Amino acid sequence: MYVAVSSPGPGLVDAAVLDADGGELERVHLASDEFPAWAAEREREHPRWVWADTKRWYPLLLRAGVRVERCLDLRMCRLILRTAAAAAGTGLARAPRDRWDDPAHTVPAASDALFELAEPEPDGDPAEELRRQRAAIAESAAPGRLTLLTAADSVGALVAVELEHAGLPWDAERHDRILVELLGERVPGGRPARMEALVAEIRAALDDPDVNPDSASTLLKSLQRAGLRVGSTSKWELREHDHPVVQPLLAYKRLARLYTANGWAWLGEWVRGGRFRPVYVPAGVVTGRWASDGGGALQLPKQVRAAVVPDPGWKLVVADAAQLEPRVLAAMSGDAAMARAGRAHDLYQGLVETGAVETREQAKYGMLGAIYGGTTGESGRMRPRMERAFPRAMAFVESAARAGEAGEVVSTWLGRTSPPGRDAAYDETRSYDERARARSDGRAWGRFTRNFVVQGTAAEWALCWMGALRRMLWELGGGDADPRPLTERPHLVFFLHDELIVHAPAELADAAADALRAAAAEAGRILFGSAPVEFPVTVAVVDSYADAK
DNA sequence: ACACCCGGCGCC
DNA sequence: AGGGCGCCGGGTGT
């Protein structure tokens, strides 16, 4: 059963109850303040909620204590189906663009007046769009995979709202102590004490009393004046030089980064009531990875992770999928030798044991080179060995790279398709330089498509992991029979590409850890069936994020 | 004043 | 001449 909801105007909700084929059974019109109670009643039957934007509808249900089991985020699904190679030629793919193709409108975070502020619904009825999308999937070359992909992206959208609702437990006092310890005392209107001291050292070492180390262009000139032959102010270059400015400047850069990105200003803006609430953008990256739009959740530096602390009587259960991308590549390509190497908990060590490479470092760089398209350094040197030992995996990524170079699209395991490449057609009329540029662009696009298939499929695995885990945690917390809201049970509080954090009452932490492992195994089965590839996760029950791994 | 880009660097 | 991001301050253009 589906329930398709939309808002025909301020303060109004239109809900259509549909059968499994999308046929309309009933339509109700509600005032928006009646909607959560109506939805809570409906949710007992576990319908699939169908709406234009999960971010617009789900927060107000969660605030009213209504947890939703499943949904379809029509705007996300439209984008998938609009661009999927497997759905090319379907009615939906051929239809002219309409407002369902527009990017999601952003709703002011934490607004209580959601309906009043929201823009009008897109043209047309969500029930109608659902039928259009179902038809496109049925007509497509990969109905099973596209059904899974649309469901997986949609459960991701639910999780994103739940993460924002729950927030990541954050101890602002501990964060402040970390900042004071590293940066020195806070100075109103100026740099923190230790940073200012380093600026003085830098100026003395350069004999330039006014230089501002935050200004790359003037700093570069000053460095060159002082006799350093550098082309940039990057730490990679600086650390190759022996000059009294190098040590204080590198130290300053480290502190400046912390101060500007995750210092007191960040703390004041993003942490409230003991929770960090970043803005997630599910499928915000072309590969299907999540992006973020505020708060920098996906770049949380290790320096401040000690401030992530569970509530009293609760634990953090931190899980990380071990070498996810190589394992995904082994499964997609059907490379039995690589799959065998992955029987080891540490796939890189497994590669060493096959005899293909001598050291774990070589294994790691060899794998990363295969996935990213590296040709230089250690990854370039490992390439022939990798090709000999893992011919199917290497051929798989090579073929994705060649497709990109030829201007063709590539698709992930579930069918998310890369953006169209530039036409690489050979043009005799172009100059030598132009052709060289075109070849270089073509190779760059090949590295993008090579990585796209692996990164995108890893993102799909992560969505399946979250989706499975989410159900398991709900059951662990008592399921539907228990009236407690989401945040009073074991629940997800953080997601970072291949890493999850669960906040759980201490007595349920071990069970949550088991669920994290079981959900990983289930994700592997959902995507790859009985393929002999394992997806181990390292799990730690901790009292601070910094104590994991 | 605002919008935009860039260098640099944090994360995966 | 290794993929994907977001954020910051500085710098430039309007």
Side-chain angles (χ1 to χ4, degrees):
Chain A
M1 188 182 75
Y2 297 100
V3 181
V5 294
S6 59
S7 173
L12 300 174
V13 175
D14 190 18
V17 181
L18 313 171
D19 65 24
D21 297 320
E24 191 163 319
L25 302 173
E26 177 192 354
R27 195 170 273 261
V28 296
H29 305 282
L30 301 158
S32 58
D33 55 3
E34 303 169 327
F35 175 61
W38 183 85
E41 198 57 41
R42 278 292 168 188
E43 178 59 21
R44 293 160 177 266
E45 298 158 66
H46 295 131
R48 194 176 283 278
W49 294 86
V50 177
W51 43 46
D53 288 304
T54 307
K55 285 230 175 188
R56 174 167 173 193
W57 290 92
Y58 194 27
L60 93 167
L61 292 180
L62 271 181
R63 279 199 293 271
V66 184
R67 181 261 190 189
V68 157
E69 174 75 19
R70 46 198 198 136
C71 82
L72 281 177
D73 186 297
L74 289 176
R75 209 184 297 268
M76 291 173 78
C77 297
R78 167 62 81 96
L79 179 62
I80 290 170
L81 296 173
R82 173 66 83 182
T83 55
T90 62
L92 185 149
R94 286 198 317 271
R97 291 180 61 89
D98 59 36
R99 293 193 56 186
W100 292 100
D101 292 297
D102 292 345
H105 43 243
T106 49
V107 174
S111 162
D112 288 322
L114 226 46
F115 282 96
E116 283 64 37
L117 292 174
E119 292 166 40
E121 276 297 303
D123 288 334
D125 177 349
E128 223 168 84
E129 173 65 7
L130 169 70
R131 289 188 284 268
R132 207 156 33 225
Q133 294 189 5
R134 284 175 50 93
I137 291 173
E139 231 187 301
S140 78
R145 293 186 186 208
L146 290 178
T147 298
L148 198 46
L149 179 56
T150 50
D153 257 19
S154 298
V155 83
L158 290 177
V159 171
V161 172
E162 289 169 358
L163 292 175
E164 290 174 10
H165 176 77
L168 182 63
W170 199 281
D171 185 335
E173 282 177 28
R174 279 179 80 154
H175 189 159
D176 178 68
R177 284 201 295 276
I178 293 167
L179 294 177
V180 171
E181 188 183 314
L182 296 172
L183 305 176
E185 287 298 330
R186 209 173 165 177
V187 176
R191 293 185 177 94
R194 285 198 57 204
M195 285 176 67
E196 196 56 47
L198 286 166
V199 171
E201 277 188 60
I202 291 162
R203 287 173 173 165
L206 292 175
D207 193 23
D208 184 347
D210 297 316
V211 70
N212 173 9
D214 295 325
S215 168
S217 59
T218 58
L219 177 61
L220 180 59
K221 287 196 194 86
S222 190
L223 289 168
Q224 290 166 341
R225 240 189 339 263
L228 279 98
R229 301 182 15 171
V230 287
S232 79
T233 65
S234 69
K235 65 177 181 182
W236 318 103
E237 246 187 286
L238 285 169
R239 69 181 170 206
E240 300 304 320
H241 290 81
D242 185 24
H243 185 283
V245 78
V246 171
Q247 185 273 328
L249 183 51
L250 291 180
Y252 177 83
K253 279 167 168 282
R254 258 194 324 274
L255 298 188
R257 170 77 197 179
L258 174 63
Y259 175 60
T260 58
N262 295 97
W264 290 283
W266 179 91
L267 190 54
E269 185 174 355
W270 292 103
V271 177
R272 280 210 176 77
R275 293 291 187 270
F276 166 42
R277 289 198 168 78
V279 180
Y280 292 101
V281 186
V285 178
V286 281
T287 57
R289 269 190 178 181
W290 287 18
S292 66
D293 179 23
L298 307 182
Q299 302 116 254
L300 212 56
K302 295 205 159 64
Q303 284 163 309
V304 300
R305 292 184 181 184
V308 183
V309 171
D311 288 347
W314 289 57
K315 292 281 184 184
L316 296 176
V317 190
V318 181
D320 178 298
Q323 305 99 34
L324 178 57
E325 293 192 351
R327 291 171 194 279
V328 159
L329 173 57
M332 293 177 89
S333 62
D335 192 303
M338 193 174 277
R340 258 196 312 280
R343 298 272 155 76
H345 181 81
D346 180 349
L347 177 137
Y348 297 137
Q349 199 55 48
L351 292 188
V352 174
E353 281 150 24
T354 65
V357 294
E358 277 103 48
T359 67
R360 189 178 185 279
E361 280 298 281
Q362 288 180 338
K364 187 170 174 177
Y365 283 102
M367 270 316 321
L368 293 179
I371 293 168
Y372 295 150
T375 55
T376 60
E378 189 77 331
S379 65
R381 280 194 293 281
M382 290 305 114
R383 192 151 166 174
R385 300 197 202 182
M386 297 293 292
E387 274 165 0
R388 235 175 294 127
F390 310 110
R392 292 190 68 165
M394 296 301 284
F396 187 88
V397 287
E398 268 310 307
S399 140
R402 279 197 301 273
E405 286 174 27
E408 296 161 12
V409 297
V410 296
S411 296
T412 61
W413 186 250
L414 291 185
R416 195 189 311 273
T417 298
S418 65
R422 289 172 291 281
D423 189 358
Y426 190 74
D427 183 349
E428 281 293 345
T429 65
R430 284 194 277 178
S431 72
Y432 178 84
D433 283 356
E434 282 169 339
R435 278 180 284 155
R437 169 66 72 93
R439 274 195 302 277
S440 162
D441 286 354
R443 281 194 298 270
W445 197 252
R447 286 192 299 279
F448 167 67
T449 52
R450 169 197 294 266
N451 185 249
F452 181 93
V453 294
V454 180
Q455 185 185 116
T457 304
E460 288 162 359
W461 182 92
L463 288 169
C464 293
W465 185 31
M466 275 196 294
L469 178 74
R470 178 177 181 272
R471 259 183 219 78
M472 293 178 189
L473 291 180
W474 184 251
E475 291 308 316
L476 184 60
D480 292 336
D482 193 305
R484 286 174 304 167
L486 188 69
T487 49
E488 290 174 27
R489 311 154 171 251
H491 60 282
L492 273 164
V493 289
F494 195 59
F495 170 57
L496 184 56
H497 306 312
D498 59 359
E499 200 175 319
L500 289 173
I501 303 182
V502 171
H503 192 213
E507 66 277 14
L508 293 177
D510 286 336
D514 289 341
L516 279 155
R517 284 183 280 263
E522 188 171 327
R525 282 193 299 274
I526 290 169
L527 284 187
F528 303 114
S530 57
V533 176
E534 292 167 27
F535 291 94
V537 288
T538 57
V539 187
V541 177
V542 293
D543 292 310
S544 161
Y545 187 16
D547 297 337
K549 67 179 169 188

XYZ file of all heavy atoms in Angstrom, chain A residues 353-426:
551
model
N 48.895 -12.088 1.189
C 48.967 -13.541 1.320
C 48.775 -14.280 -0.004
O 49.194 -15.424 -0.145
C 47.963 -14.025 2.378
C 48.514 -13.803 3.793
C 47.444 -13.560 4.837
O 46.291 -13.988 4.634
O 47.768 -12.912 5.869
N 48.155 -13.629 -0.990
C 48.065 -14.278 -2.305
C 49.424 -14.289 -2.999
O 49.605 -14.992 -3.985
C 47.099 -13.536 -3.256
O 47.643 -12.232 -3.538
C 45.715 -13.396 -2.658
N 50.359 -13.476 -2.504
C 51.672 -13.410 -3.136
C 51.762 -12.368 -4.243
O 52.817 -12.172 -4.846
N 50.631 -11.680 -4.518
C 50.641 -10.687 -5.598
C 51.544 -9.507 -5.257
O 52.190 -8.938 -6.134
C 49.225 -10.202 -5.884
N 51.569 -9.129 -3.984
C 52.409 -8.020 -3.534
C 53.101 -8.448 -2.245
O 52.718 -9.431 -1.623
C 51.571 -6.741 -3.276
C 50.985 -6.197 -4.555
C 50.474 -7.018 -2.257
N 54.136 -7.670 -1.873
C 54.913 -8.080 -0.702
C 54.426 -7.451 0.596
O 54.512 -8.065 1.649
C 56.392 -7.706 -0.885
C 57.179 -8.714 -1.708
C 57.419 -8.221 -3.117
O 57.849 -7.069 -3.259
O 57.130 -8.975 -4.065
N 53.945 -6.205 0.513
C 53.600 -5.521 1.760
C 52.171 -5.000 1.721
O 51.571 -4.836 0.652
C 54.520 -4.313 2.012
O 54.250 -3.326 1.003
C 55.984 -4.709 1.945
N 51.650 -4.738 2.918
C 50.300 -4.204 3.029
C 50.207 -2.842 2.339
O 49.202 -2.522 1.712
C 49.922 -4.082 4.511
C 48.463 -3.743 4.712
C 48.085 -3.662 6.182
N 46.655 -3.463 6.314
C 46.034 -2.299 6.192
N 46.724 -1.213 5.905
N 44.715 -2.220 6.322
N 51.260 -2.040 2.485
C 51.276 -0.723 1.831
C 51.157 -0.867 0.319
O 50.417 -0.138 -0.334
C 52.579 0.021 2.175
C 52.558 0.667 3.540
C 51.478 1.743 3.659
O 51.703 2.860 3.168
O 50.404 1.458 4.234
N 51.909 -1.827 -0.232
C 51.840 -2.053 -1.679
C 50.429 -2.470 -2.079
O 49.903 -2.039 -3.101
C 52.825 -3.140 -2.097
C 54.279 -2.706 -2.047
C 55.221 -3.831 -2.463
O 54.852 -5.002 -2.397
N 56.419 -3.462 -2.876
N 49.809 -3.313 -1.260
C 48.451 -3.775 -1.559
C 47.489 -2.598 -1.578
O 46.654 -2.450 -2.473
C 48.015 -4.797 -0.514
N 47.645 -1.723 -0.579
C 46.739 -0.593 -0.454
C 46.887 0.361 -1.648
O 45.897 0.757 -2.269
C 47.048 0.131 0.861
C 46.081 1.214 1.194
C 46.322 1.711 2.621
C 45.424 2.917 2.897
N 45.587 3.368 4.286
N 48.126 0.713 -1.967
C 48.330 1.632 -3.084
C 47.956 0.988 -4.417
O 47.438 1.665 -5.311
C 49.763 2.166 -3.088
C 49.963 3.229 -2.051
C 50.603 2.953 -0.855
C 49.445 4.504 -2.259
C 50.754 3.932 0.126
C 49.587 5.494 -1.296
C 50.243 5.200 -0.096
O 50.374 6.163 0.859
N 48.203 -0.308 -4.522
C 47.794 -1.006 -5.746
C 46.285 -0.954 -5.938
O 45.776 -0.684 -7.028
N 45.553 -1.180 -4.845
C 44.081 -1.149 -4.915
C 43.574 0.254 -5.206
O 42.690 0.451 -6.032
C 43.483 -1.591 -3.577
C 43.192 -3.032 -3.355
S 42.410 -4.014 -4.625
C 41.211 -2.986 -5.349
N 44.140 1.232 -4.480
C 43.663 2.603 -4.679
C 43.964 3.067 -6.102
O 43.169 3.777 -6.716
C 44.295 3.549 -3.658
C 43.858 3.285 -2.209
C 44.532 4.249 -1.259
C 42.351 3.402 -2.071
N 45.102 2.646 -6.621
C 45.433 2.986 -8.002
C 44.425 2.394 -8.969
O 44.018 3.037 -9.948
N 44.003 1.168 -8.692
C 43.020 0.520 -9.564
C 41.701 1.291 -9.535
O 41.042 1.485 -10.558
C 42.792 -0.922 -9.107
N 41.321 1.758 -8.356
C 40.014 2.391 -8.196
C 40.035 3.856 -8.640
O 39.064 4.357 -9.194
C 39.549 2.254 -6.730
C 39.266 0.773 -6.429
C 38.325 3.091 -6.456
C 39.078 0.467 -4.961
N 41.151 4.537 -8.393
C 41.231 5.955 -8.747
C 41.899 6.204 -10.087
O 41.859 7.329 -10.597
C 42.022 6.730 -7.681
C 41.368 6.778 -6.324
C 42.134 6.859 -5.183
C 39.988 6.768 -6.199
C 41.549 6.925 -3.932
C 39.401 6.823 -4.950
C 40.182 6.898 -3.820
O 39.603 6.968 -2.591
N 42.582 5.206 -10.609
C 43.259 5.400 -11.889
C 44.653 5.967 -11.755
O 45.144 6.637 -12.662
N 45.298 5.701 -10.643
C 46.655 6.212 -10.450
C 47.641 5.520 -11.379
O 47.529 4.326 -11.650
N 48.585 6.292 -11.883
C 49.566 5.704 -12.806
C 50.989 5.966 -12.335
O 51.926 5.398 -12.879
C 49.411 6.314 -14.211
O 49.501 7.738 -14.098
C 48.092 5.940 -14.822
N 51.131 6.852 -11.353
C 52.483 7.207 -10.925
C 52.778 6.585 -9.566
O 51.904 6.010 -8.928
C 52.627 8.739 -10.803
O 51.679 9.201 -9.845
C 52.381 9.419 -12.124
N 54.020 6.707 -9.138
C 54.399 6.285 -7.800
C 54.137 4.813 -7.552
O 54.128 3.996 -8.477
N 53.883 4.512 -6.289
C 53.699 3.117 -5.886
C 52.516 2.465 -6.594
O 52.590 1.309 -7.012
C 53.518 3.065 -4.353
C 53.520 1.693 -3.753
C 54.924 1.103 -3.640
O 55.800 1.453 -4.461
O 55.134 0.279 -2.717
N 51.432 3.226 -6.768
C 50.255 2.603 -7.388
C 50.555 2.251 -8.850
O 50.112 1.215 -9.350
C 49.034 3.511 -7.266
O 49.213 4.701 -8.000
N 51.328 3.091 -9.536
C 51.706 2.776 -10.911
C 52.600 1.546 -10.979
O 52.427 0.677 -11.846
N 53.532 1.448 -10.011
C 54.440 0.299 -10.008
C 53.709 -1.006 -9.720
O 54.102 -2.069 -10.212
C 55.539 0.510 -8.954
C 56.661 1.412 -9.414
C 57.860 1.315 -8.488
N 57.603 1.856 -7.153
C 57.607 3.162 -6.865
N 57.867 4.043 -7.805
N 57.362 3.579 -5.647
N 52.636 -0.937 -8.928
C 51.907 -2.158 -8.553
C 50.980 -2.663 -9.654
O 50.496 -3.781 -9.618
C 51.081 -1.911 -7.283
C 51.912 -1.749 -6.037
S 53.012 -3.147 -5.781
C 54.605 -2.347 -5.992
N 50.707 -1.786 -10.611
C 49.661 -2.089 -11.582
C 49.859 -3.410 -12.349
O 48.919 -4.216 -12.422
C 49.561 -0.927 -12.564
C 48.341 -1.011 -13.422
C 47.948 0.376 -13.785
N 46.991 0.350 -14.864
C 46.380 1.420 -15.305
N 46.654 2.593 -14.763
N 45.514 1.341 -16.271
N 51.054 -3.681 -12.892
C 51.207 -4.952 -13.618
C 50.936 -6.161 -12.730
O 50.301 -7.129 -13.170
C 52.673 -4.929 -14.064
C 53.089 -3.501 -14.001
C 52.268 -2.856 -12.936
N 51.370 -6.086 -11.501
C 51.133 -7.212 -10.586
C 49.650 -7.373 -10.311
O 49.138 -8.497 -10.237
C 51.829 -6.953 -9.254
C 53.325 -6.785 -9.366
C 53.866 -6.962 -7.992
N 55.169 -6.344 -7.837
C 55.858 -6.413 -6.693
N 55.319 -7.008 -5.653
N 57.034 -5.859 -6.604
N 48.970 -6.258 -10.109
C 47.533 -6.314 -9.851
C 46.812 -6.917 -11.048
O 45.880 -7.712 -10.907
C 46.979 -4.909 -9.572
C 47.546 -4.224 -8.340
S 47.070 -5.018 -6.794
C 45.317 -4.672 -6.777
N 47.263 -6.533 -12.242
C 46.602 -7.048 -13.443
C 46.808 -8.549 -13.598
O 45.915 -9.262 -14.048
C 47.090 -6.286 -14.683
C 46.273 -5.024 -14.868
C 46.874 -4.010 -15.824
O 47.972 -4.280 -16.378
O 46.262 -2.945 -15.999
N 47.978 -9.008 -13.198
C 48.248 -10.454 -13.293
C 47.425 -11.218 -12.264
O 46.835 -12.245 -12.564
C 49.744 -10.716 -13.066
C 50.375 -11.500 -14.207
C 51.884 -11.633 -14.017
N 52.560 -10.341 -14.116
C 53.398 -9.861 -13.194
N 53.676 -10.545 -12.102
N 53.975 -8.694 -13.370
N 47.369 -10.679 -11.034
C 46.723 -11.425 -9.954
C 45.196 -11.316 -9.986
O 44.498 -12.240 -9.596
C 47.263 -10.946 -8.611
N 44.688 -10.159 -10.424
C 43.235 -9.912 -10.355
C 42.715 -9.418 -11.700
O 42.216 -8.290 -11.811
C 42.940 -8.906 -9.240
C 43.584 -9.268 -7.937
C 44.646 -8.526 -7.433
C 43.172 -10.392 -7.228
C 45.263 -8.874 -6.250
C 43.789 -10.752 -6.037
C 44.833 -10.001 -5.549
N 42.818 -10.272 -12.720
C 42.507 -9.799 -14.074
C 41.069 -9.327 -14.240
O 40.825 -8.341 -14.935
C 42.800 -11.031 -14.951
C 42.806 -12.188 -14.015
C 43.266 -11.670 -12.695
N 40.141 -9.996 -13.580
C 38.738 -9.597 -13.811
C 38.434 -8.250 -13.176
O 37.770 -7.408 -13.780
C 37.787 -10.669 -13.263
C 37.891 -11.955 -14.068
C 36.812 -12.924 -13.712
N 35.491 -12.461 -14.124
C 34.433 -13.253 -14.173
N 34.537 -14.531 -13.832
N 33.267 -12.778 -14.537
N 38.912 -8.038 -11.965
C 38.666 -6.756 -11.299
C 39.312 -5.621 -12.080
O 38.705 -4.562 -12.300
C 39.208 -6.786 -9.868
N 40.540 -5.850 -12.532
C 41.247 -4.781 -13.238
C 40.593 -4.515 -14.598
O 40.481 -3.356 -15.015
C 42.723 -5.151 -13.407
C 43.472 -5.289 -12.095
S 43.458 -3.798 -11.075
C 44.654 -2.797 -11.936
N 40.146 -5.563 -15.250
C 39.477 -5.378 -16.551
C 38.172 -4.600 -16.360
O 37.777 -3.792 -17.211
C 39.206 -6.728 -17.207
N 37.522 -4.846 -15.240
C 36.243 -4.175 -14.972
C 36.430 -2.657 -14.876
O 35.720 -1.878 -15.527
C 35.647 -4.721 -13.674
C 34.266 -4.228 -13.395
C 33.158 -4.897 -13.897
C 34.063 -3.077 -12.632
C 31.876 -4.427 -13.645
C 32.797 -2.608 -12.387
C 31.696 -3.280 -12.891
N 37.393 -2.220 -14.079
C 37.600 -0.770 -13.940
C 38.206 -0.173 -15.214
O 37.903 0.965 -15.577
C 38.457 -0.416 -12.695
C 37.670 -0.613 -11.425
C 39.745 -1.207 -12.658
N 39.044 -0.958 -15.903
C 39.602 -0.481 -17.174
C 38.484 -0.205 -18.172
O 38.497 0.778 -18.904
C 40.530 -1.543 -17.779
C 41.976 -1.399 -17.402
C 42.511 0.001 -17.614
O 42.362 0.538 -18.739
O 43.053 0.561 -16.657
N 37.519 -1.107 -18.190
C 36.438 -0.945 -19.154
C 35.597 0.286 -18.816
O 35.159 1.019 -19.714
C 35.631 -2.251 -19.204
O 34.272 -1.977 -19.295
N 35.411 0.551 -17.523
C 34.683 1.770 -17.129
C 35.466 3.008 -17.549
O 34.896 4.007 -18.004
C 34.436 1.777 -15.620
N 36.791 2.950 -17.412
C 37.619 4.096 -17.782
C 37.565 4.320 -19.294
O 37.431 5.459 -19.760
C 39.066 3.864 -17.324
N 37.647 3.228 -20.063
C 37.619 3.384 -21.531
C 36.281 3.942 -21.994
O 36.222 4.754 -22.902
C 37.914 2.045 -22.207
C 39.413 1.734 -22.264
C 39.703 0.639 -23.278
N 38.983 -0.593 -22.957
C 39.448 -1.539 -22.138
N 40.627 -1.397 -21.563
N 38.739 -2.623 -21.895
N 35.189 3.502 -21.341
C 33.867 4.025 -21.699
C 33.839 5.540 -21.492
O 33.369 6.293 -22.354
C 32.786 3.347 -20.860
N 34.370 5.993 -20.368
C 34.393 7.424 -20.090
C 35.225 8.175 -21.114
O 34.829 9.229 -21.617
N 36.401 7.623 -21.444
C 37.261 8.286 -22.426
C 36.581 8.391 -23.780
O 36.830 9.325 -24.544
C 38.584 7.511 -22.563
C 39.501 7.699 -21.375
C 40.741 6.820 -21.456
O 41.153 6.472 -22.577
O 41.287 6.486 -20.389
N 35.705 7.424 -24.076
C 35.006 7.423 -25.360
C 33.719 8.243 -25.307
O 32.958 8.272 -26.274
C 34.693 5.980 -25.772
N 33.461 8.902 -24.178
C 32.272 9.739 -24.072
C 30.998 8.967 -23.768
O 29.903 9.518 -23.839
N 31.145 7.698 -23.378
C 29.959 6.916 -23.026
C 29.679 7.045 -21.530
O 30.557 7.390 -20.758
C 30.199 5.433 -23.352
C 30.397 5.172 -24.835
C 31.072 3.829 -25.086
O 31.172 3.022 -24.137
O 31.517 3.619 -26.233
N 28.433 6.721 -21.137
C 28.108 6.736 -19.712
C 28.389 5.361 -19.115
O 28.492 4.369 -19.830
C 26.627 7.121 -19.465
C 26.357 8.536 -19.949
C 25.687 6.114 -20.085
N 28.530 5.324 -17.805
C 28.668 4.062 -17.071
C 27.635 4.042 -15.956
O 27.100 5.078 -15.589
C 30.085 3.899 -16.471
C 31.137 3.814 -17.563
C 30.400 5.048 -15.502
N 27.362 2.842 -15.436
C 26.356 2.718 -14.386
C 26.881 1.919 -13.210
O 27.709 1.016 -13.373
C 25.101 2.025 -14.932
O 24.502 2.814 -15.929
N 26.343 2.231 -12.040
C 26.653 1.453 -10.845
C 25.922 0.117 -10.907
O 25.131 -0.148 -11.823
C 26.163 2.197 -9.590
O 24.740 2.348 -9.702
C 26.831 3.554 -9.461
N 26.151 -0.702 -9.900
C 25.539 -2.033 -9.838
C 24.009 -1.947 -9.878
O 23.351 -2.728 -10.537
C 25.988 -2.706 -8.535
C 25.573 -4.129 -8.380
C 24.657 -4.607 -7.502
C 26.083 -5.245 -9.111
N 24.558 -5.965 -7.636
C 25.416 -6.391 -8.609
C 27.019 -5.409 -10.129
C 25.670 -7.674 -9.098
C 27.271 -6.676 -10.608
C 26.593 -7.790 -10.089
N 23.443 -0.961 -9.168
C 21.987 -0.839 -9.149
C 21.460 0.062 -10.257
O 20.247 0.239 -10.373
C 21.498 -0.331 -7.784
C 21.668 -1.310 -6.616
C 21.028 -0.744 -5.351
C 21.072 -2.686 -6.937
N 22.336 0.644 -11.053
C 21.854 1.358 -12.233
C 21.923 2.863 -12.205
O 21.440 3.524 -13.125
N 22.523 3.449 -11.159
C 22.726 4.897 -11.199
C 23.741 5.181 -12.294
O 24.766 4.499 -12.389
C 23.232 5.405 -9.860
C 23.113 6.936 -9.726
C 23.819 7.483 -8.492
N 23.482 6.773 -7.277
C 22.437 7.061 -6.503
N 21.630 8.058 -6.805
N 22.187 6.356 -5.416
N 23.443 6.162 -13.120
C 24.236 6.360 -14.338
C 24.990 7.674 -14.283
O 24.465 8.686 -13.810
C 23.309 6.293 -15.562
O 22.729 4.976 -15.601
C 24.069 6.541 -16.851
N 26.221 7.638 -14.783
C 27.090 8.816 -14.740
C 26.563 9.895 -15.671
O 25.841 9.606 -16.633
C 28.509 8.431 -15.150
O 28.536 8.020 -16.498
N 26.906 11.153 -15.407
C 26.510 12.227 -16.324
C 27.150 11.997 -17.693
O 28.197 11.350 -17.779
C 27.080 13.491 -15.679
C 27.618 13.094 -14.359
C 27.719 11.620 -14.289
N 26.510 12.510 -18.741
C 27.096 12.331 -20.065
C 28.458 13.005 -20.143
O 28.636 14.106 -19.638
C 26.093 13.006 -20.999
C 25.277 13.897 -20.138
C 25.287 13.300 -18.768
N 29.413 12.329 -20.762
C 30.743 12.904 -20.925
C 30.765 13.822 -22.125
O 29.829 13.859 -22.927
N 31.834 14.560 -22.227
C 31.984 15.394 -23.429
C 32.301 14.486 -24.602
O 32.950 13.462 -24.459
C 33.113 16.392 -23.213
C 32.738 17.460 -22.209
C 33.947 18.307 -21.877
N 34.924 17.547 -21.109
C 34.814 17.318 -19.789
N 33.767 17.780 -19.135
N 35.732 16.639 -19.133
N 31.854 14.886 -25.755
C 32.090 14.084 -26.946
C 33.575 14.144 -27.298
O 34.129 15.212 -27.554
C 31.247 14.615 -28.107
C 31.307 13.670 -29.294
O 32.025 12.655 -29.201
O 30.648 13.964 -30.291
N 34.199 12.983 -27.289
C 35.644 12.941 -27.520
C 35.988 12.761 -28.996
O 37.105 12.413 -29.342
C 36.254 11.818 -26.695
N 35.003 13.005 -29.862
C 35.231 12.779 -31.297
C 36.497 13.506 -31.767
O 36.734 14.658 -31.440
C 34.022 13.264 -32.089
N 37.278 12.812 -32.543
C 38.550 13.323 -33.003
C 38.295 14.408 -34.047
O 37.549 14.212 -35.003
C 39.332 12.166 -33.625
C 40.750 12.510 -33.930
C 41.684 12.630 -32.900
C 41.171 12.698 -35.241
C 42.988 12.933 -33.182
C 42.479 12.998 -35.528
C 43.391 13.122 -34.489
O 44.690 13.427 -34.770
